[in-house]
Amino acid sequence: MSDKKLPMASERTEVKSSITNNTTASSSNGIPRNSKSPSELPNDNLEKEHHSTWYKFKESFKPMEHDEIDPNLSDIERANILSSRAPLQRRLKNRHIQMIAIGSAIGTGLFVGSGSALATGGPASLVICYGLVGIMIFCTIQALGELAVAFPVAGSYLIYSSRFISPCWGFTMAWNAALQWLVLLPLELVASGMTIKYWDKTTNSVAWVTIFYVVIAVINIFGVRGYGEAEFTFSLIKVIAVVGFIILGIILNCGGGPRGEYIGGEYWHNPGAFHSGFKGLCTVFVTAAFSFAGTELVGLTAAEAENPRKALPQATKQVVYRIALFYLVSLIIVGVLVPYDNPLLLNGDSSVDITASPFVIAIHRAGIKVLPDIMNVVILVAVLSVGNSAVYGCSRTISSLGDQGFGPKWFTYIDRQGRPMVGIIISLFFGLLCYLAASDKQDDIFTWMMALSGLSTIFTWGSICAAHIRYRRALTVHGRSTNELAFTACFGVWGSWFGVIFNILILIAQFWTALFPLGESPSAENFFSSYLGFVVIIVCYICYMAYELVNNKFILFLRAKDIDIDTGKRCPDVELLKQEVQEEKARLAYKPWWYRTYKFWC
C-alpha cells in the first residue's frame, strides 16, 4: 500500500481547475496558442486582426450562446437551471464587492432624507429608529449572504422567492423590484440636476441631466467591470466623506470650530430629544427603512463575483460596521449639531433638496467656508452612484424576469461580454423620463412614480428573510444540515424571523402614518402617495394567480419536500464541500484568538 498522502479537498479543486484551464488555454485574442502567426492567416483574418479593437467591440454585442434546456422540465426547474447557467461574466473582484456592500446604501437617504426624519421625530427618534432598522437589515443581509454563497445564481433574491416560497410570490416580487429600479434612475437624474443648482442657478437643469445620463449609460456599456470600478470609486468618496464629517462633527461639538462654541448635548435638552410623540417615532421608522434601500444590491453581484464564497461572507459581515459607523455615529453627530426645529430641515422636498441636508446645515452653522460645497459634491456623487446602481439592478432584474418566464424570452438577451443588453436598454429608455424635469408638473409626476414602488424595498427584505426560513426548513426535511454550507447567517433562522416580523411592523407604521399623516388631515391623495405600492403588489399577485389557475399550475405555497436545494450550487459535490469547510475550520482553530475574532466579524 502506498504511503503517499491524498491531497486536501481544496488542493484537489485547484488541481482540477488547473487542468481544465490548461486544456482550454488560448491567447487573449481567441486564437489557439498553436495557431499560425498573423502573417500566415487568410486575408479575412488579417482584416480582423488589423481592426481587432473595433472588431472585438462589434462582436461583443452578439448574443452569448446558450445550451438547450429540456422542454419537459417544470417552470420552476427550468428557471433554476437558467439562473445557474446565465452567461454573466464573473469580473467583480473582492474589493468591488466589499466597497459595494459598504457604500451601496450611503446615498440621499442618509445625506438628505435624514433631515426630514430629524425634523419629524427629533434626535433620539433618529438614533432609535435607524438603529433598530439597521439590526433588521443586518439580519436580512446575513440571510441573503447564506443563500447567495450557496446559490450564486443570476437574479439572486429574485429567484429565491420563486424557488423557496412560490412562483406566484416570485412573480410579484420580481416585477415589484423591476418597477423600483425603473423609477429610480429618472428620479436620481432629476435630483442630480437639482444638486447642481446649488452652484449654477442659471443653466437649465435639463443640460446637466443629459450629461449625467450619458455618463451613467457609458459606465454600464463597459459591462460589470465598468460598474464595479465606478461603484468602487463612488463608494470610496462617500466613505471618506462620512468619516471626515464624523471627525469634524466631534471637533465642532467640543468647541473647535471657527466660532469656538461648545455644544455638547444642548439640543437634546432644548428643543428636546423627541418630537411629535409616538407618531413622530413611527414616521421616522418609515424614513429610516427607505434610507437603507439598496443594501440588498450586494446579493445581485453574486453571479458576477470572481469568488462569491470568499467575497460575499466578508461583504455581509461588514454591513454591521456600515450601520454602526456610517449611520448611527454620523446621525448622532448630526443630532448634536443641528436642532430639530431648524427651519432649513424642511426647506422643500427633503428627498432631493440638498439645502435640507443636515450635514450641510451643520457645516453652515459652524461658519465654515468651502466645506459645504465639498459636501454637496459628495451628495452629487451619491446621487450618481444610486443612478448607476439602478441601471445595474434593473438590467439584472429584467434578465431574471425572462429566465423565470415572468417576461418575454428576449428579456434574457446577454451578449458575449456578459452584458444583459436588453435590460440595460430598457432601463436607459425609462431613464428618459428625467426630462420631465422641464415640466411644471414634475413634482406631482415624480411623487406618483415613487408611489408605484414606494414599498418595494420593505417587501423585498421580508421576502429574503422568508426565503431563508423556507430554505432552512427544506434542508431539515431533506435530511441535510448546515454543515454543507460554506457560510451561515450568524443569527440563523431566528434572525430571519425577526426580519419578517420587523418588516411587517414597518408596513403597519407606514399604513398608519399614510392614513393619518403627521400634522395633516387624512386624504386619499396622501394615503395613496405613500401606500400605492401595496396596491400594485396585490394587483400583480392576483393577475399571476389567475394566469396560473387558468393553466392549472397555481401553487399557493411550495412544500418543503418539493423545494430544490441543489441546482445552481457552485460546488455540487456536497461531500467535497463539507470536507473543504471542515479543513478551513481546522486551519482556523490553530490561529491566534485575535485572528479568529477578526475572521468572525470580518
Side-chain angles (χ1 to χ4, degrees), residues 170-331:
F171 172 88
T172 306
M173 288 298 97
W175 275 103
N176 178 50
L179 282 174
Q180 177 194 18
W181 294 121
L182 285 172
V183 169
L184 193 57
L185 176 60
L187 286 174
E188 295 302 319
L189 287 171
V190 171
S192 67
M194 294 177 129
T195 305
I196 288 292
K197 286 184 178 179
Y198 182 84
W199 299 281
D200 184 1
K201 294 181 174 61
T202 57
T203 305
N204 192 321
S205 59
V206 171
W208 289 107
V209 164
T210 302
I211 293 172
F212 297 137
Y213 178 90
V214 172
V215 169
I216 290 174
V218 169
I219 288 173
N220 283 273
I221 290 298
F222 278 101
V224 67
R225 191 63 178 272
Y227 165 76
E229 293 296 345
E231 279 306 297
F232 179 85
T233 304
F234 290 155
S235 296
L236 185 61
I237 292 172
K238 291 186 288 186
V239 168
I240 293 173
V242 173
V243 173
F245 175 81
I246 291 172
I247 296 172
L248 174 65
I250 294 173
I251 295 172
L252 295 177
N253 186 259
C254 295
R259 296 178 180 173
E261 299 176 355
Y262 174 77
I263 301 174
E266 177 184 349
Y267 299 140
W268 281 60
H269 299 285
N270 181 26
F274 293 94
H275 183 46
S276 302
F278 183 67
K279 181 177 283 189
L281 184 74
C282 290
T283 304
V284 176
F285 262 123
V286 174
T287 305
F290 292 125
S291 295
F292 282 100
T295 310
E296 71 282 357
L297 184 68
V298 69
L300 282 179
T301 64
E304 296 171 275
E306 285 186 349
N307 190 348
R309 184 179 163 187
K310 298 294 183 183
L312 289 176
Q314 292 179 354
T316 55
K317 290 176 183 178
Q318 289 173 0
V319 169
V320 69
Y321 306 121
R322 184 184 66 206
I323 293 168
L325 177 62
F326 303 129
Y327 273 87
L328 294 185
V329 176
S330 63
L331 291 178

Side-chain angles (χ1 to χ4, degrees), residues 146 149-151 309 471-472 474-476 478-488 564-567 569-582 585:
E146 180 178 314
V149 172
F151 305 96
R309 184 179 163 187
Y471 173 61
R472 285 290 190 95
L475 277 179
T476 302
H478 283 82
R480 310 265 281 272
S481 72
T482 56
N483 291 333
E484 65 183 61
L485 300 179
F487 172 71
T488 56
D564 179 4
I565 58 174
D566 290 311
T567 303
K569 283 191 171 181
R570 178 66 66 87
C571 182
D573 189 333
V574 175
E575 293 304 319
L576 179 61
L577 180 59
K578 283 183 178 180
Q579 187 174 344
E580 288 182 1
V581 172
Q582 291 301 319
K585 290 181 178 179

